[in-house]
Amino acid sequence: KYGYYHCKACNIRWESAYVWCVQGTNKVYFRQFCRTCQKSYNPYRVEDITCQSCKQTRCTCPVKMRHVDPKRPHRQDLCGRCKGKRLSCDSTFSFKYII
């Protein structure tokens, strides 16, 4: 899923395409850490990762236009799921393989 975050301590906002939820719900499994103050947060809003062309989660468009950048590196040091682990989310289970 795709999440929107807000750190109340230092007023920084960020977005992430690595939000892990209970299947079929928006209940978040893992928090993410603020890059400035290192406090952990759940997203204040979660949505499905959708194609910008057809607005579907699983689409058949020849060119998939997502509202995420697959070339942007995953910050393992700020991710509650893979922090301190050898393999990161993007090398094990990524939205690229789920969709």
Side-chain angles (χ1 to χ4, degrees), residues 1-97:
K1 301 249 181 174
Y2 194 85
Y4 298 86
Y5 292 83
H6 178 224
C7 175
K8 293 173 181 77
C10 53
N11 205 27
I12 288 180
R13 293 180 185 272
W14 71 94
E15 299 176 11
S16 175
Y18 292 95
V19 179
W20 299 89
C21 295
V22 176
Q23 188 173 1
T25 72
N26 285 342
K27 182 176 171 154
V28 178
Y29 270 129
F30 303 100
R31 294 173 161 233
Q32 289 193 7
F33 294 85
C34 172
R35 64 182 161 85
T36 305
C37 66
Q38 294 296 308
K39 291 185 179 180
S40 65
Y41 291 96
N42 279 327
Y44 64 86
R45 188 171 104 212
V46 175
E47 60 187 40
D48 290 332
I49 297 174
T50 58
C51 175
Q52 292 300 313
S53 301
C54 68
K55 306 296 183 205
Q56 299 296 313
T57 306
R58 290 167 171 67
C59 73
T60 56
C61 295
V63 176
K64 294 185 184 337
M65 305 245 331
R66 306 285 184 202
H67 66 264
V68 296
D69 182 2
K71 295 183 181 106
R72 188 173 182 180
H74 177 55
R75 292 285 309 266
Q76 188 175 354
D77 59 320
L78 301 176
C79 175
R81 182 177 187 261
C82 61
K83 188 173 186 170
K85 295 196 171 83
R86 210 169 34 136
L87 292 174
S88 70
C89 294
D90 62 346
S91 64
T92 54
F93 297 103
S94 170
F95 71 91
K96 293 176 275 190
Y97 305 112

